Amino acid sequence: MYKTKLEILCAVLDLSRRRIQQLAEEGIIPKPQKNGDYDLAACTSAYFEYVYAPNDNSEEQQLDGRYERARKAKAEADKLEFNLSIQKGEYIKTEFLEQTLTSVIMNCRSKLLSIPNKAALELVDKDKPLEIQEVLKRYIYEMLDELMVPDFDNRGEK
């Protein structure tokens, strides 16, 4: 049925004779020993490696229009998805976040600094460490309970 190894290679790889010769000239598959005497196993292996595991920096991939179109389509889809998530309110403006965190931290700082003043009057007559610990713990938990729910009334949208 097949007369030469080149014909067998054409059938196996489903390529024309000219394309196989071009691949050999480009160094993608091994060149034949004699006229048309290809190493079938080595050529098949090299061709499938070329097709299914291309080098990311290869010139073919950089010039491949399908790759560029797919990359562009993915970028556009990502942009649409991001815009949709903004419309759903899943993101907030960084300025708003910065202002809110600054406010929460300043509120926490002022409440922590107020604990000694509030607790001092109660601690005057306490001489047992466990009693002092309980008073301080109560004030700290009170402060933490107040800080549990920060004020997020405005999401920074205009």
Side-chain angles (χ1 to χ4, degrees):
M1 181 169 184
Y2 299 110
K3 296 179 183 174
T4 65
K5 289 186 178 182
L6 178 58
E7 290 176 349
I8 295 171
L9 197 57
C10 288
V12 169
L13 301 180
D14 194 28
L15 298 173
S16 68
R17 298 178 110 188
R18 180 65 191 132
R19 182 62 185 141
I20 289 177
Q21 291 167 351
Q22 288 172 342
L23 292 172
E25 289 169 7
E26 293 171 7
I28 295 168
I29 63 173
K31 292 184 179 183
Q33 302 297 336
K34 299 180 212 168
N35 192 16
D37 188 22
Y38 288 89
D39 180 357
L40 297 176
C43 288
T44 305
S45 176
Y47 179 73
F48 281 103
E49 185 176 324
Y50 164 73
V51 170
Y52 294 109
N55 184 359
D56 288 338
N57 297 324
S58 69
E59 187 176 324
E60 291 84 10
Q61 187 174 10
Q62 291 174 359
L63 298 177
D64 187 8
R66 292 174 295 168
Y67 172 76
E68 292 300 322
R69 284 190 297 276
R71 203 170 63 82
K72 180 181 177 189
K74 183 185 180 320
E76 289 173 351
D78 289 346
K79 182 179 178 184
L80 287 173
E81 188 176 329
F82 180 70
N83 287 337
L84 180 62
S85 61
I86 288 174
Q87 290 173 353
K88 287 181 178 179
E90 295 173 354
Y91 290 94
I92 59 175
K93 293 183 178 180
T94 55
E95 297 86 15
F96 171 72
L97 181 63
E98 184 179 342
Q99 291 171 354
T100 304
L101 286 176
T102 301
S103 173
V104 167
I105 291 169
M106 293 305 292
N107 190 16
C108 182
R109 181 184 183 277
S110 67
K111 290 192 182 296
L112 284 171
L113 291 174
S114 71
I115 289 175
N117 294 336
K118 289 180 179 179
L121 294 175
E122 282 189 51
L123 295 175
V124 169
D125 61 342
K126 308 285 187 209
D127 51 350
K128 294 181 182 175
L130 286 177
E131 292 175 339
I132 295 170
Q133 181 181 1
E134 285 301 317
V135 170
L136 291 174
K137 190 186 284 187
R138 181 170 39 91
Y139 279 106
I140 289 171
Y141 280 118
E142 180 183 309
M143 185 266 315
L144 290 174
D145 288 340
E146 289 178 28
L147 294 173
M148 281 292 283
V149 183
D151 184 21
F152 288 112
D153 292 337
N154 183 359
R155 293 254 177 213
E157 298 173 5
K158 294 183 179 180

